Amino acid sequence: MIWIWLLFVLYAIFLAPGEGIGTDWIFRDLVSGHFQMIDPLVVMMFSSLGIFPILFAILLLRMDDRVIPAWPFVLLSFGLGAFAILPYLFLRSRSRLVTKRAFTPLRPLLSSRLFPFALLVGTCLLYGYGFINGSINEYMEAFQTSQFISIMTVDFFVLTVASFYIFWFIRKEGYKSLLCFLPIIGPCLLLTATRHRSR
């Protein structure tokens, strides 16, 4: 995980194409909520990065059993995405177990199947909006002209790999973990279909 994080940082600093956020009208319109002039595929990807942190909250806070707490990294992921999640996964793998965590009262809510099912439905609707109304050509143009969009796109795929890592190496779901390569939808399907294994 740490090598993926380092490569992602190098990409964001040195390799991402396009205008910086200071002169990027796409970034300005996205963060201000003015989506009318932006391709729906771009809006879909941007919105998906708001769903991923909720997914990681479900996955990590209810398994928060290490000396390094998960909640600061989950909180930061709402703004930093994979830049926050990957360091936690690296540190978690090298931390010893603890018996209690402050988020214990939230575990019943986070373990509910209804929560990931709602994310699943919302994500399907979002993907439908993006793929039906969006244009691959316009998205690729935005990728080349907006540094924010290029970093955001790579972030999306890195978070997809991170969700696979959690299901394969932490939750030990075996080959079912391959569903995680259906971004957000796959992990939500797994969470909806199986009960959380108490630790």
Side-chain angles (χ1 to χ4, degrees):
M1 280 291 125
I2 196 63
W3 291 108
I4 296 177
W5 182 81
L6 288 171
L7 289 172
F8 187 28
V9 170
L10 290 173
Y11 176 82
I13 295 174
F14 298 111
L15 300 174
E19 296 285 338
I21 61 174
T23 56
D24 185 355
W25 69 269
I26 300 178
F27 170 78
R28 184 178 63 248
D29 284 357
L30 281 172
V31 297
S32 62
H34 299 144
F35 300 146
Q36 297 86 350
M37 300 299 294
I38 303 176
D39 183 75
L41 269 179
V42 174
V43 175
M44 180 200 80
M45 187 69 75
F46 177 73
S47 301
S48 296
L49 293 182
I51 298 176
F52 258 119
I54 301 173
L55 173 64
F56 283 109
I58 297 172
L59 289 171
L60 297 177
L61 294 184
R62 70 189 195 180
M63 299 189 303
D64 195 10
D65 57 3
R66 303 289 168 147
V67 171
I68 303 295
W71 70 264
F73 298 90
V74 170
L75 191 60
L76 286 172
S77 74
F78 281 90
L80 298 176
F83 290 111
I85 290 297
L86 294 188
Y88 171 74
L89 294 178
F90 173 76
L91 293 171
R92 187 185 193 282
S93 67
R94 285 156 176 77
S95 299
R96 62 181 176 84
L97 289 167
V98 294
T99 56
K100 291 184 179 180
R101 180 66 70 206
F103 275 94
T104 300
L106 290 180
R107 285 182 180 170
L109 173 64
L110 295 174
S111 298
S112 167
R113 296 186 188 185
L114 185 59
F115 206 176
F117 180 74
L119 286 185
L120 175 63
V121 172
T123 302
C124 288
L125 292 173
L126 180 63
Y127 286 177
Y129 164 76
F131 287 118
I132 291 171
N133 299 298
S135 164
I136 292 293
N137 290 335
E138 288 193 33
Y139 189 94
M140 293 308 299
E141 182 179 349
F143 183 92
Q144 293 296 327
T145 58
S146 169
Q147 193 175 76
F148 177 74
I149 300 303
S150 60
I151 295 171
M152 180 184 76
T153 304
V154 176
D155 189 24
F156 178 87
F157 289 107
V158 171
L159 289 172
T160 300
V161 172
S163 67
F164 167 77
Y165 176 90
I166 291 170
F167 275 91
W168 185 277
F169 292 102
I170 299 177
R171 289 180 57 96
K172 309 295 185 183
E173 295 286 354
Y175 289 105
K176 290 187 291 184
S177 304
L178 294 173
L179 273 175
C180 293
F181 289 110
L182 297 173
I184 303 176
I185 291 176
C188 286
L189 284 171
L190 289 173
L191 289 169
T192 303
T194 60
R195 291 189 181 276
H196 171 58
R197 296 168 183 165
S198 59
R199 305 182 72 85

